[in-house]
Amino acid sequence: MLAQHFSTKERILGAAEDLFARHGFAGASLRQVTAAANVNLAAVNYHFGSKENLIEEVFRRRLDELNARRLAALAAANADGQADLEQVLAAFIRPALELSLDKNGGSAFVRVLARAYAEHNARLRRFLSDNYGHVLKEFANAFARLLPHLGKEELYWRLDIVSGALTYAMADFGVIKRKSGVSEQTHRERAAEHLIRFAAAGLRAP
Amino acid sequence: MLAQHFSTKERILGAAEDLFARHGFAGASLRQVTAAANVNLAAVNYHFGSKENLIEEVFRRRLDELNARRLAALAAANADGQADLEQVLAAFIRPALELSLDKNGGSAFVRVLARAYAEHNARLRRFLSDNYGHVLKEFANAFARLLPHLGKEELYWRLDIVSGALTYAMADFGVIKRKSGVSEQTHRERAAEHLIRFAAAGLRAP
DNA sequence: GTATGATTCAAACGAACGTTTGATGCCGCT
DNA sequence: AGCGGCATCAAACGTTCGTTTGAATCATAC
């Protein structure tokens, strides 16, 4: 399945990402994963220790970069004076879009991320909040500065709605189907544009 | 677990709904379900034929009523003259809210519904589109009349975002935690209010 | 009261699961 | 050449999975 010039660990991570996206964490077996990765069944427990650890590594591999990109984009937006709402939204949304366009399984990962929300699994939520928490805080602060008329609770509600819409849209759960003449890249870029416009108006609501 | 005065079928459906919400379709076993329902393991295959059929029945039981309520609310909103955007949004969102407040597992079901989106399972998607399709069409028409400045494609994108945000918010995936002084009912009603305000502004965006 | 059909039951089916084992291959070292 | 360690391998571990079976139990009708 995956090219031979990737290491065993990388091939497992890639195959796991793809199969977790398609069948869920419980629904994808290590036998399916190792078969798709063209490695021995025992390799998962040798390199990762357990299936649970493998799941966490699938997240860590992508989230580290996603978080870094989001913070960098936010810093860049703030660098030239006060950023406007659309710029901050873009700093949050565009890195997720770019990730979803990554050649090596990025589009699978955004769907895995959406599944993580559906799993109320305590260990996974804790892991994600440890890796995500400070990023969300930074963005909440940026939004609070731009929307001073909103109370703190009101703001949190709206940001929650935004991340829900983002998760759902990037994971392609909706009914909108990509038209045959439109490339996957263009399709997702349009999704991001619509999302930013919609979210900006929603956040500005009185 | 479930009260004894419910029939075997109903007890299975209730327990399945709860466990599917908590562990997913693959993650919840029929042994867990039948133990929680206090029925024999073989009862699932006797009454439903298979696990897949049981999953579909879990959906059918709730969706029939959810769809009927949404259409009734839409008709009522249109009855007294032209409904405004908030009324049509409420006709879509409030029935989902009421369902989530249902004493007998409604809040579990909205989470099951969110899982259904994450599963790209072809059979399940087909089943849902068969049972959901005409309702979404009706609402799309109502929104189109209220937002004539939006092109058809633009409108569909935005409705997709709205249903994503709704699914996510009702399933309680976000970081917003219910405050200790606030009842579950109040918490969800506030979520619906925020959602309607946010979505109305987003849909009206130029 | 007994025959009939629907339901429930304990037990078992083969298949698939995550994990472990111990042997074998491979590579850089002295 | 021989050693030491990582890495890979086929095979097996015990457990759990969805499903099936055939007997026991229940309710209803005559």
Side-chain angles (χ1 to χ4, degrees), chain A residues 172-191:
Chain A
D172 227 359
F173 289 173
V175 293
I176 297 242
K177 286 284 154 276
R178 177 164 60 90
K179 300 228 179 91
S180 51
V182 180
S183 75
E184 179 70 24
Q185 169 155 358
T186 307
H187 176 78
R188 286 185 182 271
E189 275 165 4
R190 284 193 191 155

Side-chain angles (χ1 to χ4, degrees), chain B residues 72-180:
Chain B
L74 182 59
N78 277 325
D80 37 56
Q82 177 74 300
D84 70 5
L85 186 55
E86 276 79 1
Q87 285 178 285
V88 175
L89 273 171
F92 190 72
I93 292 173
R94 290 226 113 86
L97 166 72
E98 287 156 18
L99 171 63
S100 82
L101 292 174
D102 184 285
K103 288 284 172 292
N104 286 111
S107 81
F109 180 71
V110 293
R111 286 167 53 202
V112 174
L113 202 51
R115 281 198 187 264
Y117 285 108
E119 305 278 336
H120 270 224
N121 181 295
R123 179 173 172 180
L124 201 53
R125 281 178 97 81
R126 194 190 146 74
F127 174 83
L128 288 177
S129 109
D130 287 353
N131 287 268
Y132 249 130
H134 67 289
V135 179
L136 290 181
K137 208 120 201 130
E138 283 248 26
F139 275 90
N141 290 339
F143 283 120
R145 281 195 299 274
L146 286 162
L147 303 161
H149 67 285
L150 293 181
K152 189 174 168 180
E153 201 186 354
E154 180 77 35
L155 174 68
Y156 276 17
W157 272 108
R158 298 198 186 186
L159 291 182
D160 223 24
I161 294 172
V162 170
S163 42
L166 169 64
T167 302
Y168 182 95
M170 284 290 114
D172 227 357
F173 287 173
V175 294
I176 297 244
K177 288 282 154 279
R178 178 164 60 91
K179 300 230 178 90
S180 52

Side-chain angles (χ1 to χ4, degrees), chain B residues 8 31 39-42 46-47:
Chain B
T8 297
R31 282 172 173 80
V39 303
N40 188 272
L41 168 62
Y46 177 77
H47 286 286

